[in-house]
Amino acid sequence: MNTKGITLTRHILLEQRAHPSETGDLSTLLAQIGLATKMIARAVSRAGLVDVLGVTGAVNVHGEEVKRLDEYANQTFIHVFGHSGLVCTLVSEEMEKPRHLSENCSQGKYLLFFDPIDGSSNIDVNGTIGTIFSIHHRINGDPHGTEKEWLRPGSEQVAAGYVIYGPSTVFVYTAGNGVYGFTLDPSIGEFLLSHENIRIPARGKTYSINEGNYPAWQPPMRSLMDYLKEKDPETGRPYSLRYVGALVADFHRTLLQGGIFLYPVDTRNPQGKLRLLYEAAPLAFIAEQAGGRAGTGTERILDIRPTGLHQRVPLLIGSPEDVALAEAFCAGRKKRDRERRKQP
Ligand code: AHM
Ligand code: MG
């Protein structure tokens, strides 16, 4: 059946009928994320006209300045889910501690992890930004939740997704049965199916990384970047560099066109920069569902058992062959292979 053009809500209901292990609650929850992100998209589209540009003056748990739009988007999620009855706990990049929505905890079955505005440094220059989310089941009835409940590996996610606020607003999600994308039609205020069953190409032609950090990387990462820039048409090199500086935007391009996004460890970020629970894990779930791969260089992202809510990890994500190549460099293998080939 051609379902192109159907609404997000209808798509979720059809999916649920085909895979009935979840109740209608997950559909409602995803639809509510759709509502929250439509509200954020409206603020983003009028950012220069309404009072959402600039900083609040506060500093978040990561030591970063909180932008007004970060605060607005975070509050929007809290308002939308405050009376939903579905989500007991919210964990956000903008909140040091989990936020319990106690009125929901008697029946709310889910935990929601989110980065309300990803790519905040793009806000004031009308650059692309996004929202990322990850949904887990609660595992016990404790009304206040426990660390054990929050610190779960990405492999246990029920659903995950992101919204990209670019020239158009696009909602991409997986509930473990493929990856689907919906474009917001602002004239009717609905997300409509535009990208059916997204599959990532096996390899791409671009790499995406903050090259300004080159001197601060470890030697294998520098070697990988040198290798990708060498001319060798047989292996599709040199690769082109693309870097928006908003993970959602760089990942979305990589998902649709192939290639690799990397945020490795460096001397300033010895654990990596990106956060596991609401940045790396949800995108890793989407990447794998689309046939891609996501790791730290030595470990699969979805296997990591978190030790802290705002834990950071190195992230290598994208086309399976490109990520495998990067992992070979991290393990010191590729360099040796190359040197061997060059010997007479
Ligand atoms: P944010 O969620 O606070 O905006 O930070 C995460 C962002 C990612 O979107 C992006 O990939 C990365 O940080 C860019 O970092 P850098 O400016 O160091 O290249
Ligand atoms: Mg972010």
Side-chain angles (χ1 to χ4, degrees):
M1 177 172 60
N2 181 8
T3 50
K4 214 156 188 184
I6 66 168
T7 64
L8 172 64
T9 319
R10 176 129 185 78
H11 173 85
I12 296 167
L13 287 169
L14 287 175
E15 274 294 290
Q16 195 194 299
R17 240 180 264 161
H19 309 279
S21 57
E22 283 293 325
T23 66
D25 288 352
L26 181 64
S27 317
T28 312
L29 172 43
L30 287 165
Q32 281 177 337
I33 294 174
L35 170 65
T37 54
K38 274 190 267 184
M39 292 165 75
I40 297 168
R42 186 185 54 178
V44 169
S45 69
R46 299 187 304 152
L49 306 174
V50 295
D51 206 13
V52 291
L53 295 182
V55 294
T56 62
V59 170
N60 70 13
V61 56
H62 313 284
E64 301 154 349
E65 281 187 318
V66 177
K67 306 262 176 154
R68 285 188 179 161
L69 195 61
D70 289 325
E71 177 65 18
Y72 171 81
N74 197 51
Q75 286 303 328
T76 300
F77 266 78
I78 293 171
H79 287 315
V80 167
F81 286 100
H83 303 286
S84 69
L86 297 170
V87 173
C88 173
T89 307
L90 294 172
V91 173
S92 161
E93 179 180 323
E94 299 304 332
M95 300 188 292
E96 183 176 358
K97 299 216 163 82
R99 173 82 169 238
H100 295 293
L101 305 169
S102 41
E103 59 275 38
N104 296 343
C105 288
S106 56
Q107 82 266 33
K109 294 194 305 198
Y110 297 101
L111 309 171
L112 177 61
F113 298 80
F114 64 107
D115 179 357
I117 295 290
D118 175 62
S120 302
S121 69
N122 280 356
I123 293 173
D124 292 344
V125 296
N126 198 21
T128 298
I129 50 180
T131 294
I132 309 175
F133 62 89
S134 160
I135 300 167
H136 279 263
H137 275 304
R138 289 174 71 197
I139 49 175
N140 62 32
D142 183 335
H144 302 294
T146 58
E147 286 239 321
K148 189 170 163 242
E149 187 168 66
W150 308 324
L151 302 180
R152 311 240 299 279
S155 56
E156 293 182 17
Q157 290 172 100
V158 179
Y162 62 85
V163 177
I164 175 166
Y165 311 104
S168 56
T169 298
V170 177
F171 183 114
V172 175
Y173 89 99
T174 184
N177 299 306
V179 180
Y180 296 88
F182 301 79
T183 301
L184 180 63
D185 181 339
S187 65
I188 56 169
E190 289 278 7
F191 282 110
L192 303 177
L193 183 63
S194 49
H195 298 71
E196 214 165 344
N197 197 16
I198 298 171
R199 303 297 298 167
I200 192 168
R203 62 180 293 181
K205 298 183 179 125
T206 59
Y207 68 100
S208 188
I209 193 167
N210 183 342
E211 281 254 22
N213 292 335
Y214 185 99
W217 294 329
Q218 294 177 338
M221 197 47 60
R222 295 206 291 261
S223 308
L224 171 64
M225 291 305 132
D226 296 342
Y227 175 79
L228 292 177
K229 282 183 274 207
E230 281 171 10
K231 189 170 175 199
D232 181 23
E234 226 175 87
T235 52
R237 292 176 294 143
Y239 277 38
S240 291
L241 169 65
R242 294 283 183 275
Y243 194 67
V244 176
L247 174 61
V248 163
D250 285 315
F251 177 74
H252 189 63
R253 182 196 55 253
T254 306
L255 180 68
L256 298 183
Q257 299 189 337
I260 184 167
F261 170 90
L262 312 97
Y263 211 112
V265 298
D266 59 49
T267 49
R268 257 183 318 159
N269 302 289
Q271 313 298 325
K273 176 178 178 187
L274 300 172
R275 276 57 54 123
L276 174 60
L277 285 170
Y278 42 79
E279 292 178 327
L283 298 189
F285 188 18
I286 293 170
E288 290 198 5
Q289 280 291 313
R293 188 169 170 132
T296 61
T298 53
E299 194 179 3
R300 180 178 173 238
I301 293 288
L302 295 183
D303 286 339
I304 300 174
R305 193 159 280 280
T307 53
L309 281 183
H310 300 287
Q311 176 180 349
R312 296 172 192 265
V313 283
L315 179 63
L316 282 54
I317 191 166
S319 293
E321 290 179 18
D322 291 319
V323 175
L325 173 80
E327 287 170 348
F329 269 82
C330 291
R333 285 200 306 273
K334 191 70 197 175
K335 195 161 173 276
R336 279 200 297 277
D337 287 347
R338 230 172 2 128
E339 281 163 1
R340 213 175 26 235
R341 270 213 315 267
K342 278 182 185 161
Q343 278 164 14

